[in-house]
Amino acid sequence: MSKLETVLLTGGAGYIGTHTAVEFLNAGVNVVIADDYSNSSPKAIERLEQLTGKQVVKYGVNMCDKAAVRRIFEENRLDAIVHFAGYKAVGESKALPIQYYRNNVDSALVVCELMQEFGVNQLVFSSSATVYGDSQNVPFEEDEPTSCTNPYGWTKLTIERILTDFVEANKEKTDVNKDVFINDLSVTLLRYFNPIGAHASGLIGEDPRGPANNLMPHVARVAVGVNDHLNVFGNDYPTKDGTCVRDYIHVVDLAKGHLLACQKATPGLHTYNLGTGKGYSVLEVVETFERVNGIRIPYVFAARRPGDVPESYANPARANKELGWRAEHSLEDMCRDVYNWQKNNPQGYGD
């Protein structure tokens, strides 16, 4: 692949996007961020620039607006794209399936069409372990059959299918596709497990708009007094303590996975799990958070949430072997960094 000089991060002002931007900038790679700030903040970009001492090129655009996104391709020589942009709340996706399909799938199609138009041959897609559906076959491996239990997951799996066909069509130039053929097209699908944590500086972290959908933001909000208790959904699962077990990964480890995926890209389609390979129950996370931060997290048990599987954790061996990537942070690190972020930013970025 060509030398990696400039990368476009769609949805780059979000939680994972900002941490990924830091890793690229610290590696000497120029960053262009496109974000409509519907679930993020411009202040996050200011913080990451402060953190790295470097500037990013930024565009306030919706990735479904092809004309606006084309301007980014016209004004920048892009070597790779990391596609984060998309709606991501499982519960909301059940209430608003059409909006989720329209936004998530359309934005991916716009990226692919403009890659063809401008000859950009490298894409990393932000996928999810939700594509493993309700399988009980843990730990999940990349060749596991895929399925989904909610519209959000189906948008991820639909985009994976689109990108698979995109790569297949570019393996051989034909008379039909010669005008849109991309030499040496490389597409990497990164299936995340459960990102938590924050940058150790406390300058950037997770700041969900509206109700939080994942465990750790709820824990952090209780820790700083924004909420008075944590709801633990279900205590009768067939797990070690009756609560759901998940593979929690530090967001900085996850960000480094994107950098390596770009640096080590080769033509073709590549799929990697990004997780630690170890599962922790909800109560184990709460206990660890309390222990490392010296703070009590009151909780009450509530009914199970529809669609929650008992256990989900990764087999990350392929990423270890092919990318040289390995999760380095412990659960203690994750809990410590989350609290450091939240206590210094109790209202997130405050906008």
Side-chain angles (χ1 to χ4, degrees):
M1 305 300 291
S2 59
K3 187 175 185 295
L4 188 65
E5 295 183 353
T6 303
V7 62
L8 169 64
L9 306 182
T10 74
Y15 173 46
I16 300 171
T18 49
H19 287 82
T20 301
V22 169
E23 297 304 318
F24 276 103
L25 290 167
N26 285 342
V29 180
N30 298 317
V31 168
V32 178
I33 287 178
D35 204 301
D36 67 358
Y37 308 115
S38 60
N39 192 34
S40 61
S41 170
K43 291 181 181 177
I45 300 177
E46 296 173 9
R47 297 278 189 91
L48 75 87
E49 290 177 329
Q50 176 187 343
L51 190 56
T52 61
K54 299 178 181 179
Q55 298 294 304
V56 305
V57 178
K58 45 193 174 288
Y59 293 83
V61 299
N62 184 304
M63 289 302 300
C64 296
D65 185 344
K66 188 175 179 180
V69 178
R70 178 182 284 108
R71 187 163 66 89
I72 300 173
F73 283 74
E74 291 171 341
E75 295 177 356
N76 302 273
R77 183 191 174 282
L78 302 173
D79 300 300
I81 299 163
V82 181
H83 184 48
F84 295 110
Y87 297 154
K88 62 178 185 177
V90 169
E92 185 180 63
S93 77
K94 293 180 178 180
L96 302 172
I98 301 305
Q99 288 89 327
Y100 266 68
Y101 281 105
R102 173 67 72 188
N103 181 77
N104 292 6
V105 176
D106 272 10
S107 62
L109 290 171
V110 165
V111 168
C112 292
E113 289 170 343
L114 291 172
M115 287 176 68
Q116 291 178 321
E117 184 176 336
F118 289 87
V120 179
N121 68 352
Q122 190 175 340
L123 174 67
V124 174
F125 173 56
S126 166
S127 192
S128 168
T130 56
V131 302
Y132 296 119
D134 58 3
S135 171
Q136 307 297 310
N137 212 19
V138 292
F140 296 133
E141 298 186 2
E142 289 86 352
D143 296 329
E144 176 85 13
T146 51
S147 182
C148 296
T149 60
N150 56 76
Y152 162 73
W154 280 113
T155 67
K156 292 294 188 183
L157 194 53
T158 299
I159 295 167
E160 285 198 7
R161 180 71 254 175
I162 290 167
L163 295 176
T164 300
D165 294 339
F166 189 35
V167 170
E168 285 298 314
N170 277 276
K171 285 184 176 177
E172 183 176 352
K173 186 185 294 186
T174 68
D175 289 340
V176 174
N177 76 350
K178 61 183 174 62
D179 293 331
V180 293
F181 181 84
I182 303 174
N183 285 315
D184 297 330
L185 177 64
S186 171
V187 172
T188 302
L189 311 176
L190 296 182
R191 292 175 177 167
Y192 310 161
F193 279 69
N194 291 71
I196 61 174
H199 195 274
S201 66
L203 284 174
I204 57 174
E206 187 170 13
D207 181 24
R209 295 292 190 261
N213 295 285
N214 303 317
L215 172 64
M216 192 52 79
H218 285 291
V219 172
R221 287 175 176 180
V222 173
V224 297
V226 173
N227 297 331
D228 60 8
H229 73 276
L230 171 72
N231 286 319
V232 176
F233 298 103
N235 63 345
D236 57 351
Y237 286 97
T239 59
K240 61 190 81 176
D241 59 23
T243 63
C244 288
V245 170
R246 296 291 182 266
D247 189 337
Y248 295 95
I249 176 174
H250 199 293
V251 66
V252 172
D253 286 330
L254 187 63
K256 290 177 179 177
H258 294 77
L259 175 62
L260 285 168
C262 285
Q263 290 175 327
K264 300 198 173 185
T266 56
L269 181 75
H270 312 279
T271 305
Y272 299 106
N273 286 334
L274 294 186
T276 66
K278 181 174 176 58
Y280 291 97
S281 73
V282 173
L283 294 185
E284 286 178 314
V285 172
V286 171
E287 183 279 326
T288 302
F289 192 97
E290 291 180 326
R291 174 167 47 82
V292 301
N293 295 312
I295 189 167
R296 182 172 171 268
I297 304 296
Y299 63 85
V300 299
F301 291 114
R304 291 187 183 192
R305 293 182 302 187
D308 275 349
V309 298
E311 293 187 283
S312 174
Y313 57 95
N315 180 345
R318 183 184 293 179
N320 298 164
K321 179 180 178 181
E322 296 184 13
L323 296 180
W325 175 88
R326 192 174 303 275
E328 298 175 347
H329 292 79
S330 67
L331 182 61
E332 286 79 6
D333 296 330
M334 301 179 215
C335 291
R336 188 177 298 112
D337 289 341
V338 165
Y339 187 48
N340 183 47
W341 151 256
Q342 199 74 68
K343 71 183 179 182
N344 287 301
N345 303 271
Q347 301 301 325
Y349 293 108
D351 54 2

